[in-house]
Amino acid sequence: MELRLHNTLTRSKDGFRPLDPLNVRMYVCGPTVYDHAHIGNARPVIVFDVLFRLLRRLYGEAHVKYVRNITDVDDKINARAADRGISIRDLTEETYRWFREDTAAIGCLPPTVEPRATEHIAEMRALIEKLVAAGHAYVAQEHVLFNVPSMPDYGQLSRRPLDEMIAGARVDVAPYKRDPMDFVLWKPSDVGVPGWESPCGIKTPGRPGWHIECSAMSWRHLGETFDIHGGGIDLVFPHHENEIAQSRCAFHTGVMAQMWLHNGFLMLEGEKMSKSLGNFVTIRELLEEWPGEVLRLAMLSTHYRQPINWTRQGLGFAAKTLDKWYRVVGEVEAEGGEGNPFEHEIAERLSDDLNTPSAIAHLHHLAEVAEHEETSSALRRRFKGAANLLGLLGDTEDGWRARAKAAIALDEGVIAGLIAERLAARKAKDFKRADQIREELAAKGIVLMDNKDGTTSWEVAR
Ligand SMILES: [Zn+2]
């Protein structure tokens, strides 16, 4: 089985060959912790969790290191803490706790390391001083800036035309820049804003620019070069381009990461998600209405590189699918990786640039196969093991799963019989009995829906 991934750096689907198969290393840009994460933020978290699971499956759990940082120093954080009248530490701690709870609820494994920017200031200073010493950065008015023209092949990842990059950089024009494209590595902090000892002999305390954080944390935890760097497509320019410039120029290497993976945008009901348009939804708001696993399956139903259109209808489909799959697996234990042919078939589909829609289509097929098995539970155990590779049908308990299990205990034939009895009661205008049946089923976690055509369907309550 060969893992092939679409590499933004080469614009092609490349075979994945780790620098060291005993130490496969992946870095993904994490959240800036100042508010609840929105559903767009959940996309890279889920996508790279699937890749993390697949890499563990292919190289062994002990041989994969996944680093996802936490940006806990940022002007948005400072402003929000001041607005709320709380300390920066309290704000970042609270927000980080929400993020951990939300990502656990959508079935994501914790990364191997979750480094915080504020705990890596010394590495950032060291990197900045290396860049200044090598002539790639300079000090101006207590700032340190990266000098873009000092790197002849700057721009390989985004491949943007030079005039476009200059136009983008002009937004942030400052008199101390030697070149309009130069970007900030370090800046001075005013009184009342977090500040640390500055590099390069600058007297005023200061704080890092955003890009340098990721170069410092990936260096500390993964080394000068590593295998995979991931994030949302919106990070390609300038963030990832600038990470590459910093790391390659500091360490004199040809690449920062061998492969760069980017997930596509998320649209909400066909429109761009925007706070100002009120078209905005947090993971937490969705979790109040749907189990996390439904969000996960809905997200994975679109290939990670495609834009995803996030709709209530999509969530409804995912919920129905999971209801069915939980009925199929019942109480069986999952059959683990090696030797489970179903799981192997899913791993093969994921190895083709994380083709989750194909993997999910195959799970539908496997569910049919397992459902019709009457003699033993072997196929159902295999089906469950295959779904586990996508982080689905896991054994952690939550309310919805408990209710789904209660529904499984209720024979489908019994439910159908009660529905027929209720329809007959309604026909005979015995509404008391009809309501009684509805309540009886509701108590067991079954919700009835009366359709326009006079039939009644049911689903497991959420
Ligand atoms: Zn980053």
Side-chain angles (χ1 to χ4, degrees), residues 382-410:
R382 285 180 179 173
F383 167 66
K384 190 173 181 184
N388 283 176
L389 191 56
L390 281 163
L392 299 169
L393 310 186
D395 278 321
T396 45
E397 284 292 337
D398 66 23
W400 180 65
R401 287 198 183 109
R403 285 199 294 277
K405 278 184 181 162
I408 293 157
L410 241 187

Side-chain angles (χ1 to χ4, degrees), residues 131-163:
L131 289 168
V132 171
H136 288 291
Y138 59 94
V139 178
Q141 295 184 16
E142 304 193 307
H143 291 67
V144 187
L145 291 118
F146 185 93
N147 185 226
V148 170
S150 76
M151 183 187 192
D153 59 354
Y154 178 86
Q156 280 187 332
L157 183 73
S158 56
R159 299 190 194 175
R160 284 189 158 196
L162 190 66
D163 54 343

Side-chain angles (χ1 to χ4, degrees), residues 36 44 58 80 87 91 277 315:
H36 285 295
L58 298 175
R80 182 61 57 91
S87 75
L91 174 69
L277 296 172
L315 288 163

Side-chain angles (χ1 to χ4, degrees), residues 27-30 69 71 210-215 217 229-231 235 239-240 243 256 260:
Y27 186 92
V28 174
C29 297
N69 71 294
T71 296
W210 174 36
H211 315 307
I212 196 73
E213 290 178 15
C214 288
S215 285
M217 288 184 268
H229 193 312
L235 296 184
H239 183 54
H240 287 168
E243 278 188 37
M256 176 186 186
W260 288 77

Side-chain angles (χ1 to χ4, degrees), residues 6-281:
H6 183 273
N7 187 355
T8 308
L9 205 51
T10 59
R11 302 289 193 276
S12 60
K13 215 192 269 187
D14 299 342
F16 176 66
R17 278 169 206 86
L19 295 163
D20 176 2
L22 297 178
N23 184 20
V24 179
R25 288 160 288 164
M26 171 164 79
Y27 186 92
V28 174
C29 297
T32 300
V33 283
Y34 70 102
D35 204 346
H36 285 295
H38 59 70
I39 188 62
N41 301 134
R43 194 171 191 196
V45 176
I46 294 174
V47 163
F48 291 103
D49 179 69
V50 171
L51 181 54
F52 182 38
R53 288 168 187 269
L54 181 64
L55 291 170
R56 283 156 51 111
R57 160 76 164 69
L58 298 175
Y59 295 94
E61 283 186 20
H63 303 299
V64 182
K65 189 170 184 185
Y66 171 23
V67 178
R68 188 183 59 212
N69 71 294
I70 295 152
T71 296
D72 60 351
V73 46
D74 185 276
D75 291 349
K76 287 195 285 283
I77 296 174
N78 304 340
R80 182 61 57 91
D83 277 359
R84 288 183 54 190
I86 59 173
S87 75
I88 285 169
R89 186 76 191 176
D90 285 349
L91 174 69
T92 57
E93 281 300 314
E94 179 183 54
T95 313
Y96 175 47
R97 199 188 66 237
W98 291 337
F99 182 76
R100 263 196 335 244
E101 291 166 0
D102 290 351
T103 52
I106 51 179
C108 295
L109 300 170
T112 322
V113 189
E114 284 187 279
R116 289 160 180 259
T118 52
E119 288 166 8
H120 295 75
I121 302 286
E123 286 84 351
M124 295 181 212
R125 269 197 303 263
L127 262 182
I128 289 170
E129 286 179 348
K130 271 177 192 284
L131 289 168
V132 171
H136 288 291
Y138 59 94
V139 178
Q141 295 184 16
E142 304 193 307
H143 291 67
V144 187
L145 291 118
F146 185 93
N147 185 226
V148 170
S150 76
M151 183 187 192
D153 59 354
Y154 178 86
Q156 280 187 332
L157 183 73
S158 56
R159 299 190 194 175
R160 284 189 158 196
L162 190 66
D163 54 343
E164 225 178 79
M165 290 199 284
I166 293 171
R170 283 238 164 85
V171 176
D172 179 24
V173 81
Y176 45 79
K177 281 190 183 179
R178 283 186 197 161
D179 185 275
M181 278 169 53
D182 292 355
F183 58 89
V184 170
L185 301 172
W186 190 266
K187 56 190 171 188
S189 287
D190 291 332
V191 179
V193 170
W196 290 265
E197 184 192 333
S198 292
C200 310
I202 298 169
K203 294 277 183 298
T204 316
R207 60 194 193 282
W210 174 36
H211 315 307
I212 196 73
E213 290 178 15
C214 288
S215 285
M217 288 184 268
S218 60
W219 172 38
R220 158 84 177 272
H221 296 283
L222 298 175
E224 294 179 2
T225 57
F226 50 93
D227 299 301
I228 297 171
H229 193 312
I233 188 89
D234 52 321
L235 296 184
V236 173
F237 186 85
H239 183 54
H240 287 168
E241 201 72 82
N242 291 349
E243 278 188 37
I244 291 174
Q246 295 160 164
S247 295
R248 283 188 48 207
C249 290
F251 306 123
H252 312 289
T253 48
V255 290
M256 176 186 186
Q258 297 210 96
M259 284 194 152
W260 288 77
L261 267 66
H262 293 98
N263 62 271
F265 288 113
L266 180 141
M267 312 273 284
L268 203 58
E269 303 284 353
E271 287 178 50
K272 193 173 178 284
M273 195 157 61
S274 148
K275 230 174 196 168
S276 54
L277 296 172
N279 195 37
F280 188 88
V281 60

